[in-house]
Amino acid sequence: MIYSKAVMDHFYNPRNVGSIENADGVGEVGNAKCGDIMKMYLKIENEIITEVKFNTFGCGAAIATSSMATEMIKGKSIEEALKLTNRAVAEALDGLPSAKMHCSVLAEEAVKSAIADYYRKNGQEPPPMARLAECCCHACEQSAEN
Amino acid sequence: MFAYVDNAATTPVGKAALESMTECLQQVYGNPSSIHSQGQEAAQLMGKARETVGNCLGARPEEIYFTSGGTEADNWAIKTAALLGARKNKKHLISTAFEHHAVLHSLRLWEKQGYSLTLLNVHGDGLVRPEELASAIREDTALVSVMYANNEIGTVQPVAEIGTICRERGVLFHTDAVQAVGHLPIDAQEQKIDLLSLSAHKFHGPKGVGALYCRKGIPLDIFMEGGAQERGKRAGTENIPGIAGMAAALKEACANMTEDNKKVSALRDKLIQAMTRIPRSRLNGHPTRRLPGIANFCFSGIEGEGLLLHLDQHGICASSGSACTSGSLDPSHVLLAIGLPHEEAHGSLRISLSALNTEAEVEHIIAMLPGLIEKLRSMSPVWQKIRQNEGS
């Protein structure tokens, strides 16, 4: 198997799947052309993430990293959640194949995108840490060239 | 239940091949280039294998060259045609957009050397139109390379028609028949094929061995420098056990072809019927002009790898396209060539059957798949959008 046991566990039994109605923050990253889309929903009370759900279209690693990222930010403050790195998600899953590292980037971005949305909903400018990196997938680069 | 349905990637070695290989490894260990009896026994065995392979292709034994597999045969055939063309100042190559990478990448290499390349449209049904080929051929066309049957979607090309056009126009015709040999009746002479590639492990032979058919009269290029093996065209001590296994497997496949195809295509059709009942699913490639064993589907809103992992957990070994490209994140070039959008092409599933598969296995797949697709769709934002658009 190309994936670790932890990846397979989170793929077969993904945690926090679903959506939240009237979520305080919603983020969607990736695109179907590249083969990965993550959508993350946050419920935030007093700057604490009390509930988090996700929906993902993508490979095994995309689903597992989404699941792991939701577990890692649940119950955390916004400040802590913004510190979540793709590397930390990958490490928590006992590593990812190098071709799949972009999935962990997407998971980090999904969290940031949902938090940025929370700030905007409250009429505030998202902090710099919630800014997204450029999409790293090959298909986007190709379509940008064309 | 366990079901291996990735036979287009590779097949388990059959009994006939295994027995002949074991015997060969234990008893016929001589070098066929040696003059003593042990060596000559190996040479004889190799001669018989060449005859067997030739017989199955409607070719003479001297037109068969043993290789390390289909990829080598493809590289060799294209190199031969390209160099022959250059001698006559013919530097135009024709192929299709959905060839195996062994062909496509070889052609690209020659393109970098100054050759021009035309890739024929394979249309939505995955079939080349002979009239389009006829109008693509130019004065300087050196080669037409069109695969016999596609490895991902299984469509079978009008090979005899293509061969006739090429022969009339004086252009060499190569076909990558890796998926077809042992599965479809082939007559290189009648179908006017000049060069043909095959690989043993696609018809229950061993891996690491294949062959190139090169019609008599075509000066085959030297692929490997060294000793005088393969009439001086491919040096290196021959893979005698592999060659023996390949011949035994091919002989068996050709002898049982009619019977096996009847069984396998019935299983395939049962699967196609059930899969196409799943909402927003599609069968890729022409509905009937296809290999007995290959069926390729797309399911909107899901990604292929996730489905494969779930299937594997239920004992089902399938593929989401060519195994050679699974290291890549790009969707299948074959599905893009037949006009599928990227997002659909990501959600493909290839089921490739052999005569070893049973009705019970196919029923197991039919029972498991809809639920697994539903599971993945239920967490897919793409699927949710599709449903919303349907509802609105």
PDB file of all heavy atoms in Angstrom, chain A residues 3 11-12 14 28 32-35 55-60 99-100 102 138, chain B residues 301-303 305-306 309-310 313 330 342-343 346 375 379 381-382 384-385:
ATOM      1  N   TYR A   3       0.018   4.088   1.102  1.00  0.00           N
ATOM      2  CA  TYR A   3      -0.326   4.960   2.226  1.00  0.00           C
ATOM      3  C   TYR A   3      -0.030   4.307   3.572  1.00  0.00           C
ATOM      4  O   TYR A   3      -0.077   3.087   3.713  1.00  0.00           O
ATOM      5  CB  TYR A   3      -1.814   5.303   2.176  1.00  0.00           C
ATOM      6  CG  TYR A   3      -2.210   6.202   1.018  1.00  0.00           C
ATOM      7  CD1 TYR A   3      -3.273   5.854   0.193  1.00  0.00           C
ATOM      8  CD2 TYR A   3      -1.541   7.385   0.766  1.00  0.00           C
ATOM      9  CE1 TYR A   3      -3.660   6.675  -0.869  1.00  0.00           C
ATOM     10  CE2 TYR A   3      -1.908   8.209  -0.283  1.00  0.00           C
ATOM     11  CZ  TYR A   3      -2.974   7.853  -1.095  1.00  0.00           C
ATOM     12  OH  TYR A   3      -3.340   8.666  -2.130  1.00  0.00           O
ATOM     13  N   PHE A  11      -9.023   7.583   5.828  1.00  0.00           N
ATOM     14  CA  PHE A  11      -9.738   7.489   4.554  1.00  0.00           C
ATOM     15  C   PHE A  11     -10.986   6.617   4.708  1.00  0.00           C
ATOM     16  O   PHE A  11     -12.086   7.000   4.301  1.00  0.00           O
ATOM     17  CB  PHE A  11      -8.831   6.919   3.455  1.00  0.00           C
ATOM     18  CG  PHE A  11      -9.606   6.576   2.207  1.00  0.00           C
ATOM     19  CD1 PHE A  11     -10.091   7.580   1.376  1.00  0.00           C
ATOM     20  CD2 PHE A  11      -9.883   5.246   1.890  1.00  0.00           C
ATOM     21  CE1 PHE A  11     -10.840   7.269   0.243  1.00  0.00           C
ATOM     22  CE2 PHE A  11     -10.625   4.937   0.754  1.00  0.00           C
ATOM     23  CZ  PHE A  11     -11.106   5.948  -0.063  1.00  0.00           C
ATOM     24  N   TYR A  12     -10.813   5.448   5.324  1.00  0.00           N
ATOM     25  CA  TYR A  12     -11.958   4.541   5.463  1.00  0.00           C
ATOM     26  C   TYR A  12     -12.974   5.049   6.493  1.00  0.00           C
ATOM     27  O   TYR A  12     -14.169   4.824   6.355  1.00  0.00           O
ATOM     28  CB  TYR A  12     -11.496   3.124   5.838  1.00  0.00           C
ATOM     29  CG  TYR A  12     -10.820   2.388   4.708  1.00  0.00           C
ATOM     30  CD1 TYR A  12      -9.584   1.760   4.892  1.00  0.00           C
ATOM     31  CD2 TYR A  12     -11.412   2.314   3.437  1.00  0.00           C
ATOM     32  CE1 TYR A  12      -8.957   1.087   3.853  1.00  0.00           C
ATOM     33  CE2 TYR A  12     -10.789   1.638   2.387  1.00  0.00           C
ATOM     34  CZ  TYR A  12      -9.563   1.034   2.604  1.00  0.00           C
ATOM     35  OH  TYR A  12      -8.955   0.361   1.575  1.00  0.00           O
ATOM     36  N   PRO A  14     -13.467   8.496   7.787  1.00  0.00           N
ATOM     37  CA  PRO A  14     -13.174   9.929   7.908  1.00  0.00           C
ATOM     38  C   PRO A  14     -13.954  10.550   9.062  1.00  0.00           C
ATOM     39  O   PRO A  14     -15.129  10.237   9.268  1.00  0.00           O
ATOM     40  CB  PRO A  14     -13.608  10.505   6.556  1.00  0.00           C
ATOM     41  CG  PRO A  14     -14.545   9.498   5.970  1.00  0.00           C
ATOM     42  CD  PRO A  14     -14.142   8.170   6.520  1.00  0.00           C
ATOM     43  N   GLU A  28     -13.661  26.912   0.622  1.00  0.00           N
ATOM     44  CA  GLU A  28     -13.530  25.878  -0.417  1.00  0.00           C
ATOM     45  C   GLU A  28     -12.259  26.135  -1.200  1.00  0.00           C
ATOM     46  O   GLU A  28     -12.028  27.248  -1.674  1.00  0.00           O
ATOM     47  CB  GLU A  28     -14.748  25.890  -1.345  1.00  0.00           C
ATOM     48  CG  GLU A  28     -14.707  24.735  -2.331  1.00  0.00           C
ATOM     49  CD  GLU A  28     -15.927  24.659  -3.256  1.00  0.00           C
ATOM     50  OE1 GLU A  28     -17.056  24.599  -2.748  1.00  0.00           O
ATOM     51  OE2 GLU A  28     -15.715  24.643  -4.471  1.00  0.00           O
ATOM     52  N   ALA A  32     -11.918  20.990  -9.426  1.00  0.00           N
ATOM     53  CA  ALA A  32     -12.194  19.632  -9.902  1.00  0.00           C
ATOM     54  C   ALA A  32     -11.276  19.247 -11.051  1.00  0.00           C
ATOM     55  O   ALA A  32     -10.995  18.080 -11.270  1.00  0.00           O
ATOM     56  CB  ALA A  32     -13.653  19.520 -10.338  1.00  0.00           C
ATOM     57  N   LYS A  33     -10.786  20.243 -11.772  1.00  0.00           N
ATOM     58  CA  LYS A  33      -9.895  19.972 -12.889  1.00  0.00           C
ATOM     59  C   LYS A  33      -8.613  19.292 -12.408  1.00  0.00           C
ATOM     60  O   LYS A  33      -8.068  18.427 -13.069  1.00  0.00           O
ATOM     61  CB  LYS A  33      -9.575  21.296 -13.587  1.00  0.00           C
ATOM     62  CG  LYS A  33      -9.332  21.123 -15.056  1.00  0.00           C
ATOM     63  CD  LYS A  33      -9.043  22.441 -15.726  1.00  0.00           C
ATOM     64  CE  LYS A  33      -8.298  22.128 -17.009  1.00  0.00           C
ATOM     65  NZ  LYS A  33      -7.824  23.313 -17.674  1.00  0.00           N
ATOM     66  N   CYS A  34      -8.153  19.732 -11.214  1.00  0.00           N
ATOM     67  CA  CYS A  34      -6.951  19.119 -10.644  1.00  0.00           C
ATOM     68  C   CYS A  34      -7.274  17.800  -9.952  1.00  0.00           C
ATOM     69  O   CYS A  34      -6.383  17.059  -9.589  1.00  0.00           O
ATOM     70  CB  CYS A  34      -6.299  20.025  -9.610  1.00  0.00           C
ATOM     71  SG  CYS A  34      -6.079  21.697 -10.147  1.00  0.00           S
ATOM     72  N   GLY A  35      -8.537  17.561  -9.710  1.00  0.00           N
ATOM     73  CA  GLY A  35      -8.909  16.318  -9.059  1.00  0.00           C
ATOM     74  C   GLY A  35      -9.091  16.423  -7.560  1.00  0.00           C
ATOM     75  O   GLY A  35      -9.307  15.416  -6.897  1.00  0.00           O
ATOM     76  N   ASN A  55     -16.308  18.377   3.456  1.00  0.00           N
ATOM     77  CA  ASN A  55     -16.662  17.564   2.290  1.00  0.00           C
ATOM     78  C   ASN A  55     -15.485  17.633   1.342  1.00  0.00           C
ATOM     79  O   ASN A  55     -14.935  18.703   1.107  1.00  0.00           O
ATOM     80  CB  ASN A  55     -17.895  18.134   1.582  1.00  0.00           C
ATOM     81  CG  ASN A  55     -19.181  17.642   2.230  1.00  0.00           C
ATOM     82  OD1 ASN A  55     -19.340  16.443   2.447  1.00  0.00           O
ATOM     83  ND2 ASN A  55     -20.077  18.559   2.538  1.00  0.00           N
ATOM     84  N   THR A  56     -15.092  16.479   0.808  1.00  0.00           N
ATOM     85  CA  THR A  56     -13.944  16.463  -0.101  1.00  0.00           C
ATOM     86  C   THR A  56     -14.209  15.585  -1.318  1.00  0.00           C
ATOM     87  O   THR A  56     -14.729  14.475  -1.195  1.00  0.00           O
ATOM     88  CB  THR A  56     -12.672  15.978   0.629  1.00  0.00           C
ATOM     89  OG1 THR A  56     -12.281  16.989   1.559  1.00  0.00           O
ATOM     90  CG2 THR A  56     -11.515  15.721  -0.326  1.00  0.00           C
ATOM     91  N   PHE A  57     -13.827  16.132  -2.467  1.00  0.00           N
ATOM     92  CA  PHE A  57     -13.765  15.367  -3.709  1.00  0.00           C
ATOM     93  C   PHE A  57     -12.283  15.193  -3.965  1.00  0.00           C
ATOM     94  O   PHE A  57     -11.556  16.181  -4.088  1.00  0.00           O
ATOM     95  CB  PHE A  57     -14.426  16.174  -4.836  1.00  0.00           C
ATOM     96  CG  PHE A  57     -14.049  15.746  -6.234  1.00  0.00           C
ATOM     97  CD1 PHE A  57     -14.752  14.731  -6.878  1.00  0.00           C
ATOM     98  CD2 PHE A  57     -13.006  16.357  -6.915  1.00  0.00           C
ATOM     99  CE1 PHE A  57     -14.421  14.349  -8.177  1.00  0.00           C
ATOM    100  CE2 PHE A  57     -12.665  15.968  -8.223  1.00  0.00           C
ATOM    101  CZ  PHE A  57     -13.377  14.963  -8.848  1.00  0.00           C
ATOM    102  N   GLY A  58     -11.804  13.952  -3.998  1.00  0.00           N
ATOM    103  CA  GLY A  58     -10.379  13.782  -4.233  1.00  0.00           C
ATOM    104  C   GLY A  58      -9.911  12.385  -3.891  1.00  0.00           C
ATOM    105  O   GLY A  58     -10.707  11.509  -3.529  1.00  0.00           O
ATOM    106  N   CYS A  59      -8.603  12.200  -3.974  1.00  0.00           N
ATOM    107  CA  CYS A  59      -8.003  10.889  -3.775  1.00  0.00           C
ATOM    108  C   CYS A  59      -8.003  10.509  -2.300  1.00  0.00           C
ATOM    109  O   CYS A  59      -8.454  11.276  -1.448  1.00  0.00           O
ATOM    110  CB  CYS A  59      -6.581  10.903  -4.316  1.00  0.00           C
ATOM    111  SG  CYS A  59      -5.518  12.060  -3.445  1.00  0.00           S
ATOM    112  N   GLY A  60      -7.454   9.350  -1.992  1.00  0.00           N
ATOM    113  CA  GLY A  60      -7.402   8.878  -0.622  1.00  0.00           C
ATOM    114  C   GLY A  60      -6.704   9.865   0.296  1.00  0.00           C
ATOM    115  O   GLY A  60      -7.170  10.141   1.410  1.00  0.00           O
ATOM    116  N   ALA A  99       4.204  12.574  -4.014  1.00  0.00           N
ATOM    117  CA  ALA A  99       3.253  13.041  -5.038  1.00  0.00           C
ATOM    118  C   ALA A  99       1.935  13.496  -4.415  1.00  0.00           C
ATOM    119  O   ALA A  99       1.118  14.125  -5.079  1.00  0.00           O
ATOM    120  CB  ALA A  99       2.994  11.936  -6.054  1.00  0.00           C
ATOM    121  N   LYS A 100       1.733  13.163  -3.134  1.00  0.00           N
ATOM    122  CA  LYS A 100       0.459  13.490  -2.486  1.00  0.00           C
ATOM    123  C   LYS A 100       0.597  14.605  -1.446  1.00  0.00           C
ATOM    124  O   LYS A 100      -0.367  14.918  -0.745  1.00  0.00           O
ATOM    125  CB  LYS A 100      -0.118  12.242  -1.804  1.00  0.00           C
ATOM    126  CG  LYS A 100      -0.381  11.092  -2.758  1.00  0.00           C
ATOM    127  CD  LYS A 100      -1.589  11.357  -3.632  1.00  0.00           C
ATOM    128  CE  LYS A 100      -1.932  10.112  -4.444  1.00  0.00           C
ATOM    129  NZ  LYS A 100      -3.097  10.348  -5.304  1.00  0.00           N
ATOM    130  N   HIS A 102       0.716  17.642  -1.898  1.00  0.00           N
ATOM    131  CA  HIS A 102      -0.152  18.784  -2.226  1.00  0.00           C
ATOM    132  C   HIS A 102      -1.516  18.661  -1.539  1.00  0.00           C
ATOM    133  O   HIS A 102      -2.172  19.661  -1.309  1.00  0.00           O
ATOM    134  CB  HIS A 102      -0.320  18.925  -3.736  1.00  0.00           C
ATOM    135  CG  HIS A 102      -1.218  17.898  -4.340  1.00  0.00           C
ATOM    136  ND1 HIS A 102      -0.805  16.614  -4.587  1.00  0.00           N
ATOM    137  CD2 HIS A 102      -2.517  17.950  -4.698  1.00  0.00           C
ATOM    138  CE1 HIS A 102      -1.814  15.935  -5.094  1.00  0.00           C
ATOM    139  NE2 HIS A 102      -2.860  16.706  -5.172  1.00  0.00           N
ATOM    140  N   HIS A 138      -0.533  20.830 -10.869  1.00  0.00           N
ATOM    141  CA  HIS A 138      -0.014  20.870 -12.222  1.00  0.00           C
ATOM    142  C   HIS A 138      -1.076  21.346 -13.216  1.00  0.00           C
ATOM    143  O   HIS A 138      -0.794  22.139 -14.104  1.00  0.00           O
ATOM    144  CB  HIS A 138       0.435  19.440 -12.547  1.00  0.00           C
ATOM    145  CG  HIS A 138       1.185  19.316 -13.811  1.00  0.00           C
ATOM    146  ND1 HIS A 138       2.235  20.130 -14.107  1.00  0.00           N
ATOM    147  CD2 HIS A 138       1.027  18.476 -14.852  1.00  0.00           C
ATOM    148  CE1 HIS A 138       2.717  19.765 -15.289  1.00  0.00           C
ATOM    149  NE2 HIS A 138       1.999  18.783 -15.770  1.00  0.00           N
TER     150      HIS A 138
ATOM    151  N   GLY B 301     -18.708  13.168  -9.991  1.00  0.00           N
ATOM    152  CA  GLY B 301     -18.674  13.608  -8.597  1.00  0.00           C
ATOM    153  C   GLY B 301     -17.710  12.865  -7.707  1.00  0.00           C
ATOM    154  O   GLY B 301     -17.583  13.196  -6.532  1.00  0.00           O
ATOM    155  N   ILE B 302     -17.028  11.853  -8.230  1.00  0.00           N
ATOM    156  CA  ILE B 302     -16.044  11.160  -7.389  1.00  0.00           C
ATOM    157  C   ILE B 302     -14.712  11.056  -8.127  1.00  0.00           C
ATOM    158  O   ILE B 302     -14.647  11.214  -9.334  1.00  0.00           O
ATOM    159  CB  ILE B 302     -16.496   9.763  -6.924  1.00  0.00           C
ATOM    160  CG1 ILE B 302     -16.694   8.837  -8.128  1.00  0.00           C
ATOM    161  CG2 ILE B 302     -17.733   9.842  -6.061  1.00  0.00           C
ATOM    162  CD1 ILE B 302     -16.805   7.394  -7.717  1.00  0.00           C
ATOM    163  N   GLU B 303     -13.692  10.754  -7.339  1.00  0.00           N
ATOM    164  CA  GLU B 303     -12.343  10.655  -7.880  1.00  0.00           C
ATOM    165  C   GLU B 303     -11.969   9.172  -7.868  1.00  0.00           C
ATOM    166  O   GLU B 303     -12.330   8.446  -6.939  1.00  0.00           O
ATOM    167  CB  GLU B 303     -11.414  11.503  -7.003  1.00  0.00           C
ATOM    168  CG  GLU B 303     -10.111  11.891  -7.627  1.00  0.00           C
ATOM    169  CD  GLU B 303      -9.051  10.859  -7.418  1.00  0.00           C
ATOM    170  OE1 GLU B 303      -9.233   9.976  -6.545  1.00  0.00           O
ATOM    171  OE2 GLU B 303      -8.047  10.899  -8.121  1.00  0.00           O
ATOM    172  N   GLU B 305      -9.223   7.275  -7.463  1.00  0.00           N
ATOM    173  CA  GLU B 305      -8.376   6.575  -6.498  1.00  0.00           C
ATOM    174  C   GLU B 305      -9.136   6.166  -5.247  1.00  0.00           C
ATOM    175  O   GLU B 305      -8.946   5.069  -4.717  1.00  0.00           O
ATOM    176  CB  GLU B 305      -7.167   7.445  -6.113  1.00  0.00           C
ATOM    177  CG  GLU B 305      -6.152   6.652  -5.319  1.00  0.00           C
ATOM    178  CD  GLU B 305      -5.209   7.526  -4.521  1.00  0.00           C
ATOM    179  OE1 GLU B 305      -4.196   7.921  -5.082  1.00  0.00           O
ATOM    180  OE2 GLU B 305      -5.497   7.807  -3.340  1.00  0.00           O
ATOM    181  N   GLY B 306      -9.995   7.071  -4.784  1.00  0.00           N
ATOM    182  CA  GLY B 306     -10.781   6.756  -3.593  1.00  0.00           C
ATOM    183  C   GLY B 306     -11.617   5.496  -3.801  1.00  0.00           C
ATOM    184  O   GLY B 306     -11.705   4.625  -2.926  1.00  0.00           O
ATOM    185  N   LEU B 309      -9.444   2.366  -3.640  1.00  0.00           N
ATOM    186  CA  LEU B 309      -9.056   1.993  -2.279  1.00  0.00           C
ATOM    187  C   LEU B 309     -10.209   1.274  -1.576  1.00  0.00           C
ATOM    188  O   LEU B 309     -10.007   0.279  -0.885  1.00  0.00           O
ATOM    189  CB  LEU B 309      -8.621   3.226  -1.480  1.00  0.00           C
ATOM    190  CG  LEU B 309      -7.338   3.917  -1.946  1.00  0.00           C
ATOM    191  CD1 LEU B 309      -7.137   5.234  -1.212  1.00  0.00           C
ATOM    192  CD2 LEU B 309      -6.121   3.020  -1.747  1.00  0.00           C
ATOM    193  N   HIS B 310     -11.415   1.794  -1.768  1.00  0.00           N
ATOM    194  CA  HIS B 310     -12.584   1.131  -1.178  1.00  0.00           C
ATOM    195  C   HIS B 310     -12.784  -0.258  -1.778  1.00  0.00           C
ATOM    196  O   HIS B 310     -13.075  -1.218  -1.067  1.00  0.00           O
ATOM    197  CB  HIS B 310     -13.848   1.968  -1.402  1.00  0.00           C
ATOM    198  CG  HIS B 310     -14.033   3.046  -0.380  1.00  0.00           C
ATOM    199  ND1 HIS B 310     -14.148   2.779   0.971  1.00  0.00           N
ATOM    200  CD2 HIS B 310     -14.133   4.384  -0.497  1.00  0.00           C
ATOM    201  CE1 HIS B 310     -14.305   3.916   1.638  1.00  0.00           C
ATOM    202  NE2 HIS B 310     -14.292   4.907   0.766  1.00  0.00           N
ATOM    203  N   GLN B 313     -10.448  -2.746  -0.362  1.00  0.00           N
ATOM    204  CA  GLN B 313     -10.823  -3.194   0.981  1.00  0.00           C
ATOM    205  C   GLN B 313     -11.861  -4.325   0.905  1.00  0.00           C
ATOM    206  O   GLN B 313     -11.970  -5.120   1.830  1.00  0.00           O
ATOM    207  CB  GLN B 313     -11.387  -2.014   1.785  1.00  0.00           C
ATOM    208  CG  GLN B 313     -11.223  -2.209   3.271  1.00  0.00           C
ATOM    209  CD  GLN B 313     -12.021  -1.194   4.075  1.00  0.00           C
ATOM    210  OE1 GLN B 313     -12.992  -0.611   3.595  1.00  0.00           O
ATOM    211  NE2 GLN B 313     -11.626  -0.988   5.301  1.00  0.00           N
ATOM    212  N   ASP B 330      -2.112  13.675 -13.125  1.00  0.00           N
ATOM    213  CA  ASP B 330      -2.921  14.103 -14.255  1.00  0.00           C
ATOM    214  C   ASP B 330      -3.963  13.043 -14.574  1.00  0.00           C
ATOM    215  O   ASP B 330      -3.711  11.861 -14.432  1.00  0.00           O
ATOM    216  CB  ASP B 330      -2.031  14.327 -15.482  1.00  0.00           C
ATOM    217  CG  ASP B 330      -0.987  15.395 -15.224  1.00  0.00           C
ATOM    218  OD1 ASP B 330      -1.294  16.322 -14.458  1.00  0.00           O
ATOM    219  OD2 ASP B 330       0.124  15.293 -15.769  1.00  0.00           O
ATOM    220  N   HIS B 342     -11.722  17.326 -17.672  1.00  0.00           N
ATOM    221  CA  HIS B 342     -10.799  16.893 -16.617  1.00  0.00           C
ATOM    222  C   HIS B 342     -11.533  16.301 -15.418  1.00  0.00           C
ATOM    223  O   HIS B 342     -11.175  15.258 -14.907  1.00  0.00           O
ATOM    224  CB  HIS B 342      -9.966  18.088 -16.129  1.00  0.00           C
ATOM    225  CG  HIS B 342      -8.711  18.295 -16.911  1.00  0.00           C
ATOM    226  ND1 HIS B 342      -8.726  18.751 -18.206  1.00  0.00           N
ATOM    227  CD2 HIS B 342      -7.413  18.104 -16.580  1.00  0.00           C
ATOM    228  CE1 HIS B 342      -7.479  18.831 -18.634  1.00  0.00           C
ATOM    229  NE2 HIS B 342      -6.658  18.452 -17.682  1.00  0.00           N
ATOM    230  N   GLU B 343     -12.578  17.030 -14.950  1.00  0.00           N
ATOM    231  CA  GLU B 343     -13.228  16.592 -13.708  1.00  0.00           C
ATOM    232  C   GLU B 343     -13.910  15.240 -13.859  1.00  0.00           C
ATOM    233  O   GLU B 343     -13.959  14.462 -12.909  1.00  0.00           O
ATOM    234  CB  GLU B 343     -14.203  17.651 -13.180  1.00  0.00           C
ATOM    235  CG  GLU B 343     -15.147  18.246 -14.197  1.00  0.00           C
ATOM    236  CD  GLU B 343     -14.565  19.479 -14.905  1.00  0.00           C
ATOM    237  OE1 GLU B 343     -13.368  19.463 -15.265  1.00  0.00           O
ATOM    238  OE2 GLU B 343     -15.311  20.446 -15.112  1.00  0.00           O
ATOM    239  N   HIS B 346     -11.188  12.342 -13.971  1.00  0.00           N
ATOM    240  CA  HIS B 346     -10.619  11.943 -12.671  1.00  0.00           C
ATOM    241  C   HIS B 346     -11.415  10.809 -12.030  1.00  0.00           C
ATOM    242  O   HIS B 346     -10.918  10.121 -11.154  1.00  0.00           O
ATOM    243  CB  HIS B 346     -10.604  13.137 -11.709  1.00  0.00           C
ATOM    244  CG  HIS B 346      -9.424  14.035 -11.895  1.00  0.00           C
ATOM    245  ND1 HIS B 346      -8.138  13.638 -11.606  1.00  0.00           N
ATOM    246  CD2 HIS B 346      -9.318  15.301 -12.327  1.00  0.00           C
ATOM    247  CE1 HIS B 346      -7.304  14.635 -11.858  1.00  0.00           C
ATOM    248  NE2 HIS B 346      -7.996  15.654 -12.304  1.00  0.00           N
ATOM    249  N   LYS B 375     -21.114   6.348  -1.094  1.00  0.00           N
ATOM    250  CA  LYS B 375     -20.357   6.814   0.070  1.00  0.00           C
ATOM    251  C   LYS B 375     -19.447   7.988  -0.312  1.00  0.00           C
ATOM    252  O   LYS B 375     -19.395   9.009   0.381  1.00  0.00           O
ATOM    253  CB  LYS B 375     -19.520   5.653   0.631  1.00  0.00           C
ATOM    254  CG  LYS B 375     -18.791   6.002   1.906  1.00  0.00           C
ATOM    255  CD  LYS B 375     -18.101   4.822   2.550  1.00  0.00           C
ATOM    256  CE  LYS B 375     -17.351   5.337   3.789  1.00  0.00           C
ATOM    257  NZ  LYS B 375     -16.726   4.284   4.563  1.00  0.00           N
ATOM    258  N   MET B 379     -19.844  12.597   0.379  1.00  0.00           N
ATOM    259  CA  MET B 379     -18.914  13.568   0.988  1.00  0.00           C
ATOM    260  C   MET B 379     -18.241  14.443  -0.074  1.00  0.00           C
ATOM    261  O   MET B 379     -17.240  15.113   0.198  1.00  0.00           O
ATOM    262  CB  MET B 379     -17.866  12.853   1.848  1.00  0.00           C
ATOM    263  CG  MET B 379     -16.924  11.965   1.093  1.00  0.00           C
ATOM    264  SD  MET B 379     -15.478  11.538   2.094  1.00  0.00           S
ATOM    265  CE  MET B 379     -16.084  10.094   2.934  1.00  0.00           C
ATOM    266  N   PRO B 381     -18.104  17.611  -2.524  1.00  0.00           N
ATOM    267  CA  PRO B 381     -18.696  18.911  -2.854  1.00  0.00           C
ATOM    268  C   PRO B 381     -19.050  19.017  -4.345  1.00  0.00           C
ATOM    269  O   PRO B 381     -19.974  19.743  -4.709  1.00  0.00           O
ATOM    270  CB  PRO B 381     -17.608  19.921  -2.490  1.00  0.00           C
ATOM    271  CG  PRO B 381     -16.360  19.161  -2.309  1.00  0.00           C
ATOM    272  CD  PRO B 381     -16.710  17.730  -2.065  1.00  0.00           C
ATOM    273  N   VAL B 382     -18.324  18.275  -5.183  1.00  0.00           N
ATOM    274  CA  VAL B 382     -18.618  18.302  -6.619  1.00  0.00           C
ATOM    275  C   VAL B 382     -19.986  17.667  -6.879  1.00  0.00           C
ATOM    276  O   VAL B 382     -20.813  18.180  -7.637  1.00  0.00           O
ATOM    277  CB  VAL B 382     -17.516  17.566  -7.418  1.00  0.00           C
ATOM    278  CG1 VAL B 382     -17.862  17.487  -8.891  1.00  0.00           C
ATOM    279  CG2 VAL B 382     -16.176  18.246  -7.219  1.00  0.00           C
ATOM    280  N   GLN B 384     -22.406  17.428  -4.741  1.00  0.00           N
ATOM    281  CA  GLN B 384     -23.467  18.302  -4.205  1.00  0.00           C
ATOM    282  C   GLN B 384     -23.837  19.381  -5.215  1.00  0.00           C
ATOM    283  O   GLN B 384     -25.022  19.690  -5.396  1.00  0.00           O
ATOM    284  CB  GLN B 384     -23.006  18.937  -2.893  1.00  0.00           C
ATOM    285  CG  GLN B 384     -23.073  17.939  -1.726  1.00  0.00           C
ATOM    286  CD  GLN B 384     -22.082  18.250  -0.624  1.00  0.00           C
ATOM    287  OE1 GLN B 384     -21.523  19.342  -0.578  1.00  0.00           O
ATOM    288  NE2 GLN B 384     -21.866  17.293   0.258  1.00  0.00           N
ATOM    289  N   LYS B 385     -22.820  19.911  -5.890  1.00  0.00           N
ATOM    290  CA  LYS B 385     -23.104  20.944  -6.899  1.00  0.00           C
ATOM    291  C   LYS B 385     -23.899  20.359  -8.064  1.00  0.00           C
ATOM    292  O   LYS B 385     -24.819  20.996  -8.577  1.00  0.00           O
ATOM    293  CB  LYS B 385     -21.793  21.553  -7.418  1.00  0.00           C
ATOM    294  CG  LYS B 385     -21.425  22.786  -6.629  1.00  0.00           C
ATOM    295  CD  LYS B 385     -20.162  23.445  -7.133  1.00  0.00           C
ATOM    296  CE  LYS B 385     -19.577  24.278  -6.003  1.00  0.00           C
ATOM    297  NZ  LYS B 385     -18.141  24.255  -5.930  1.00  0.00           N
TER     298      LYS B 385
END
